[in-house]
Amino acid sequence: MLGRILCTVLFVGAFPSPAGASQGHISVVLLGATGDLAKKYLWQGLFQLYMDQVSSGHSFTFHGAALAALEPGQRLMFDVLKKLSCPPDEAPNRCAVLKDQFLKLSQYHQLKTAENYTALSREIETLLHQEGLKEAGRIFYFSVPPFAYTEIARHINSSCRPPAGAWLRVVLEKPFGHDLESAQQLAAELAGFFREEEMYRVDHYLGKQAVAHILPFRDQNRQFLDPIWNRHHVERVEVVLKETVDAKGRTSFYEQYGVIRDVLQNHLTEALMFLIMELPANVSSAQDVVQHKLQALQSLWGLERSSAVLGQYQAYNSQVQEELQEAQGYVSTTPTFAGVLIRSDSLRWEGVPFLLTSGKALDERVGYARVLFKNRAYCTQSGTLRDSGHSQCKPKQIIFYFGHGALNTPAVLVSRNLFQPVMPKHSWKEAEARSDLHIFGQPLSDFYTYSPVKERDAYSVLISNIYHGRKDFFITTENLLASWAFWTPLLDSTSRQPLRLYPGGVENQHLLDFEMVGGGVAFTLAEPAQLLTPSGQMPSDFRAIQSKFRHSPLVSAWAEDLISQLASDMEEAAVRSVARCGQFHLALSGGSSPTGLFQRLARHHLGFPWRHTHVWLVDERCVPLTDGESNFLGLHRHLLQHVRLPYFNIHPMPVHLNRRLCVEEDGGAELYAKDIVALVANASFDLVLLGVGTDGHTASLFPRSENGLEGAPTVVLTESPVKPHQRMSLSLPLINRARQVFVLVLGKGKHDITTLLSRVGREPRKWPISGVSPSSGQLVWYVDYEALLG
């Protein structure tokens, strides 16, 4: 039956393809064809694709699929299809014909078992064989929950792939995981069935016309933007999505995800990347765009708890209790509002704040990305004269307006006192310069304002890009994992943070206003008494535990508070040392544990005497210093490049000599030891920072190591049980000559070794860290609650 219909549409249709042979047949399979997303957006997007491409030379069939049996599923699907509409500018006759064709080319399938998928593939192949058509490719759109992805992927890979020569495109809807670990797991599972180029992860915000036009706008206006798109001219960048609706009816989803996972980690981050990424020479190159986005994401400073302010509308908790049948005393810690401060260490954006904000139950529905420029002008005219023209004293900004709000349409706005932008006339039109409509406190007449010639739904844009194979409008695995790596530490550090309750809507007034304070953000107004968090202490209310561990002082707190205390103690030690002898010799360990500490020192400790500080390494992997495994490179990225430390006060370990790595005859360890003796009084560091491995190793001194646990205070080459195996390290006797040794231990993964160390004596052959005992100095342990208590 479908074959005869396809034949009719192809050869008797009112809209024949251009001269030349068919470019092949495309089968589109929509999984979850009767679900909410399919009903609201996807079928309409597929119909738009058909309308746009009916004369392209490709033929199409559309296969709706779900778990429901044939008859009820078919009835539900065609109820949706009958309501499809054409754009207002489409001729009624053409619309009627195309809709009739689309319905005839659409078919429902129950896809539940492996046999169902095999039967679908066989049906597609039989149809094409009968009609003598070549297969161009297959699109599988996963409009299903992520827990179903793996099973469906297995079926497609084993029995529903197109033949050789035809492409496969698999479209995946968010959420793509809950945090870095779950995203990695899902990515690994999908990679077992599909190649990277076959996967199209959808973030529908990338289909919004204003968002999609950010890169083309930057490209077409390079002559104006190149001089000013940088830290010298940009005051701040804002990406905002405000909603008036609450989470009622969706609390089962929202309790798992919250506003950061739902909006900031994906939609707002993607829009921000388009704004701050380096512009490729060719913005049409999907590969170049994807790579530049990744580089921009990797340039962002790590987030900490003070980077965000979080809130929850008052009715949310009772909605959760009602919908999820939670107990009366249940208290949700899920944020429904977030404001986050992000910074980049790139040369272009260093020092420029990026503010991402989103929330539910707010005063208006609006979304935008806004670049606000510094105003260097001083204008002598009165306010009245200034307001009457396009004064240089007025704010200068570029706004990509996603929709809704005062304009109620996608738009691009450029302050008239900046420049008149180049805009493609076939797709964007200049809007009327109205003075009665205001945006950000300015009349619309202060802007060059452009809106789309033809508004298109985001899903229609994305489905078109899937058809054309435009990967730059989708999220690659590498970018996805980089985004989760960026956001997961904030999610972890704020999971216990008390939330600011707000009433919702216009009653919020200034309650959610926040400001940049001390490298982070904080609410501007104190929290009213009637909106305080329900009674009961939160974990962050507890003070740092100060006690003893292995007969030495112990400081313990939640990780972020602990790092804050450690950074303050290090600054205090540095100031004392410089006052005493004019310099401060600091030896730092590598690895992941001190990363947050390095960032804290760089951002918040502006009084640290870096000009009088010498930085040494406790240990180093035997790799080039530019290698991602290098301890020095990590130290450089997170600390050294952000502070004013004299170049000649930086002392990387000489692991790379004579184009060789850690060859004993090259004498790298001896060279470092001689430098220490020459520059550090009595070879006694003022402060040594150490970590602890799960096996009890410290620095690069491992259990049963042949070198460094005993003997002379020197520098040694050692062997690690994990790659890269070769290491260079300060010896235990040299560490023990230090005036102070701080040991930092973080995370649940260190709980077992922490418990063990609390019970054993000094046995450095078994547990090298147990041999740390400064001969005439002080040892202090900094252990977070998770490592200490499990």
Side-chain angles (χ1 to χ4, degrees):
M1 176 67 180
L2 193 59
R4 291 199 300 274
I5 294 166
L6 179 59
C7 180
T8 302
V9 170
L10 280 171
F11 303 112
V12 190
F15 312 101
S17 57
S22 167
Q23 295 183 33
H25 183 79
I26 297 174
S27 303
V28 182
V29 183
L30 175 55
L31 298 132
T34 57
D36 284 344
L37 185 63
K39 290 176 185 176
K40 289 180 180 178
Y41 302 110
L42 300 184
W43 279 117
Q44 186 64 50
L46 292 173
F47 180 41
Q48 185 66 54
L49 174 69
Y50 181 67
M51 287 189 286
D52 292 342
Q53 303 301 329
V54 69
S55 300
S56 68
H58 282 122
S59 58
F60 293 87
T61 47
F62 299 89
H63 305 265
L67 297 175
L70 183 61
E71 190 177 327
Q74 190 168 274
R75 185 173 62 252
L76 283 170
M77 188 182 95
F78 277 93
D79 283 346
V80 176
L81 299 191
K82 288 170 187 173
K83 296 174 185 174
L84 295 176
S85 60
C86 295
D89 59 349
E90 193 70 71
N93 289 345
R94 187 175 191 269
C95 176
V97 172
L98 289 174
K99 184 173 176 180
D100 182 60
Q101 288 181 355
F102 185 78
L103 265 65
K104 288 175 179 176
L105 292 172
S106 301
Q107 194 175 44
Y108 178 81
H109 304 263
Q110 182 184 39
L111 288 185
K112 199 171 186 179
T113 65
E115 290 75 22
N116 295 149
Y117 285 86
T118 303
L120 172 62
S121 187
R122 193 180 302 121
E123 184 175 322
I124 293 171
E125 291 164 8
T126 301
L127 169 68
L128 298 181
H129 178 71
Q130 288 173 351
E131 303 305 325
L133 292 171
K134 177 186 175 184
E135 184 159 16
R138 298 181 187 179
I139 297 172
F140 285 86
Y141 201 119
F142 285 40
S143 180
V144 295
F147 66 76
Y149 282 4
T150 303
E151 184 182 358
I152 294 172
R154 184 180 295 111
H155 290 321
I156 293 172
N157 184 56
S158 63
S159 57
C160 220
R161 277 185 168 274
W167 46 257
L168 172 68
R169 292 175 188 157
V170 176
V171 188
L172 306 165
E173 278 282 347
K174 80 176 187 77
F176 312 118
H178 184 264
D179 53 18
L180 178 58
E181 185 180 357
S182 59
Q184 287 172 326
Q185 182 181 346
L186 181 57
E189 289 171 356
L190 291 171
F193 305 112
F194 305 126
R195 298 190 300 275
E196 179 64 30
E197 63 267 22
E198 294 175 329
M199 290 186 281
Y200 290 69
R201 290 183 184 84
V202 169
D203 183 329
H204 77 272
Y205 256 65
L206 298 187
K208 287 186 175 289
Q209 287 169 289
V211 178
H213 195 63
I214 293 174
L215 281 189
F217 177 89
R218 290 181 59 193
D219 182 49
Q220 292 153 12
N221 291 279
R222 285 179 191 257
Q223 59 178 319
F224 305 118
L225 293 176
D226 278 355
I228 63 173
W229 205 255
N230 56 58
R231 60 193 170 99
H232 301 297
H233 295 272
V234 175
E235 180 178 314
R236 68 171 181 253
V237 177
E238 303 169 0
V239 188
V240 175
L241 175 61
K242 296 167 67 178
E243 297 182 87
T244 53
V245 298
D246 60 19
K248 189 173 184 179
R250 294 185 69 225
T251 56
S252 59
F253 168 84
Y254 220 77
E255 267 298 271
Q256 295 181 65
Y257 290 92
V259 67
I260 294 178
R261 291 180 174 94
D262 187 35
V263 177
L264 278 78
Q265 180 270 327
N266 36 69
H267 305 329
L268 302 195
T269 300
E270 289 297 317
L272 178 65
M273 292 307 102
F274 279 159
L275 290 169
I276 70 169
M277 63 182 267
E278 291 300 312
L279 207 54
N282 179 12
V283 295
S284 298
S285 167
Q287 184 177 353
D288 288 353
V289 169
V290 166
Q291 196 56 42
H292 282 69
K293 275 174 61 182
L294 180 63
Q295 290 168 1
L297 193 53
Q298 291 171 337
S299 77
L300 302 180
W301 285 18
L303 296 172
E304 47 193 35
R305 193 172 65 193
S306 61
S307 303
V309 289
L310 303 175
Q312 183 189 91
Y313 66 84
Q314 278 180 289
Y316 179 77
N317 201 71
S318 59
Q319 289 171 354
V320 170
Q321 290 176 358
E322 180 183 345
E323 293 179 19
L324 303 186
Q325 298 180 330
E326 296 287 357
Q328 192 65 34
Y330 177 80
V331 177
S332 170
T333 57
T334 301
T336 61
F337 169 84
V340 179
L341 171 63
I342 297 174
R343 294 187 185 273
S344 169
D345 64 14
S346 74
L347 190 60
R348 181 181 297 277
W349 297 113
E350 186 179 18
V352 178
F354 308 142
L355 294 169
L356 270 57
T357 307
S358 185
K360 290 192 173 293
L362 300 183
D363 62 313
E364 63 175 337
R365 183 185 184 189
V366 69
Y368 59 84
R370 179 188 184 211
V371 180
L372 183 64
F373 292 87
K374 296 175 181 177
N375 200 328
R376 303 176 183 276
Y378 173 77
C379 299
T380 57
Q381 72 265 45
S382 67
T384 305
L385 287 172
R386 187 182 306 170
D387 292 341
S388 64
H390 307 306
S391 165
Q392 287 299 311
C393 280
K394 287 186 176 181
K396 300 176 181 181
Q397 50 196 320
I398 297 174
I399 304 160
F400 298 92
Y401 204 84
F402 306 157
H404 305 293
L407 300 183
N408 200 32
T409 181
V412 176
L413 301 95
V414 178
S415 292
R416 289 182 180 268
N417 57 4
L418 269 175
F419 58 87
Q420 182 168 5
V422 176
M423 295 291 283
K425 292 180 180 176
H426 67 279
S427 54
W428 292 83
K429 61 185 178 183
E430 188 165 3
E432 181 188 352
R434 295 172 55 183
S435 57
D436 61 322
L437 194 61
H438 286 69
I439 183 165
F440 298 111
Q442 289 183 261
L444 199 58
S445 54
D446 279 358
F447 299 91
Y448 294 108
T449 305
Y450 300 85
S451 58
V453 170
K454 182 178 180 180
E455 280 195 47
R456 298 193 66 181
D457 169 70
Y459 278 98
S460 296
V461 173
L462 291 174
I463 288 170
S464 174
N465 287 322
I466 295 162
Y467 165 79
H468 288 290
R470 287 293 307 268
K471 289 282 286 185
D472 48 326
F473 282 84
F474 300 89
I475 315 301
T476 64
T477 300
E478 196 173 13
N479 272 273
L480 172 71
L481 298 182
S483 178
W484 274 121
F486 174 70
W487 284 101
T488 297
L490 178 68
L491 291 165
D492 290 343
S493 66
T494 57
S495 61
R496 310 175 190 90
Q497 186 170 326
L499 305 172
R500 167 158 293 194
L501 297 182
Y502 59 96
V506 294
E507 292 180 32
N508 295 334
Q509 297 186 38
H510 299 293
L511 199 58
L512 297 178
D513 292 353
F514 60 93
E515 59 189 350
M516 292 174 275
V517 180
V521 286
F523 284 117
T524 305
L525 297 179
E527 192 160 21
Q530 67 268 26
L531 290 176
L532 288 174
T533 303
S535 60
Q537 283 184 308
M538 297 293 288
S540 56
D541 293 332
F542 294 108
R543 293 179 178 271
I545 295 174
Q546 297 218 354
S547 184
K548 293 281 185 179
F549 183 79
R550 294 183 57 82
H551 311 296
S552 294
L554 166 69
V555 180
S556 192
W558 292 112
E560 192 162 336
D561 294 330
L562 183 72
I563 285 172
S564 177
Q565 182 63 54
L566 174 54
S568 296
D569 292 348
M570 288 177 68
E571 181 177 348
E572 186 179 334
V575 170
R576 282 201 313 268
S577 177
V578 171
R580 185 182 68 251
C581 60
Q583 56 188 0
F584 177 58
H585 287 276
L586 171 66
L588 297 172
S589 292
S592 58
S593 291
T595 297
L597 172 65
F598 296 159
Q599 293 172 344
R600 179 88 193 174
L601 288 168
R603 297 179 197 180
H604 301 286
H605 290 266
L606 304 181
F608 200 104
W610 291 113
R611 290 185 182 277
H612 304 283
T613 298
H614 286 255
V615 172
W616 303 79
L617 267 75
V618 169
D619 64 325
E620 181 59 281
R621 298 174 170 95
C622 292
V623 296
L625 298 185
T626 54
D627 190 287
E629 295 277 358
S630 166
N631 286 344
F632 178 80
L633 182 63
L635 180 61
H636 170 75
R637 282 178 175 168
H638 300 296
L639 176 63
L640 298 181
Q641 69 174 333
H642 304 297
V643 297
R644 292 187 176 180
L645 186 71
Y647 174 78
F648 40 80
N649 285 12
I650 301 171
H651 306 282
M653 281 186 159
V655 294
H656 198 183
L657 297 173
N658 302 322
R659 301 184 186 177
R660 304 189 294 186
L661 291 165
C662 293
V663 175
E664 195 165 349
E665 299 85 70
D666 292 336
E670 290 83 357
L671 281 172
Y672 207 58
K674 287 178 181 177
D675 282 349
I676 292 170
V677 170
L679 295 171
V680 183
N682 302 316
S684 175
F685 291 106
D686 296 301
L687 176 60
V688 174
L689 176 72
L690 298 176
V692 180
T694 54
D695 59 353
H697 85 264
T698 192
S700 280
L701 304 172
F702 298 92
R704 293 170 292 282
S705 177
E706 295 181 7
N707 300 321
L709 296 178
E710 300 171 343
T714 188
V715 181
V716 295
L717 294 176
T718 67
E719 291 284 328
S720 164
V722 296
K723 291 182 178 180
H725 296 298
Q726 284 188 299
R727 308 288 177 94
M728 188 180 287
S729 179
L730 305 185
S731 69
L732 195 57
L734 182 55
I735 290 170
N736 283 334
R737 294 186 72 155
R739 289 177 174 271
Q740 283 187 299
V741 178
F742 292 170
V743 182
L744 176 62
V745 190
L746 299 175
K748 286 183 180 178
K750 302 291 178 66
H751 175 62
D752 289 347
I753 188 63
T754 303
T755 303
L756 177 66
L757 290 172
S758 69
R759 298 169 181 166
V760 301
R762 188 180 188 280
E763 296 186 65
R765 297 288 299 173
K766 289 184 178 179
W767 306 286
I769 188 65
S770 71
V772 175
S773 179
S775 53
S776 57
Q778 182 189 36
L779 170 64
V780 182
W781 293 82
Y782 293 81
V783 187
D784 78 342
Y785 289 151
E786 290 189 332
L788 190 68
L789 307 174

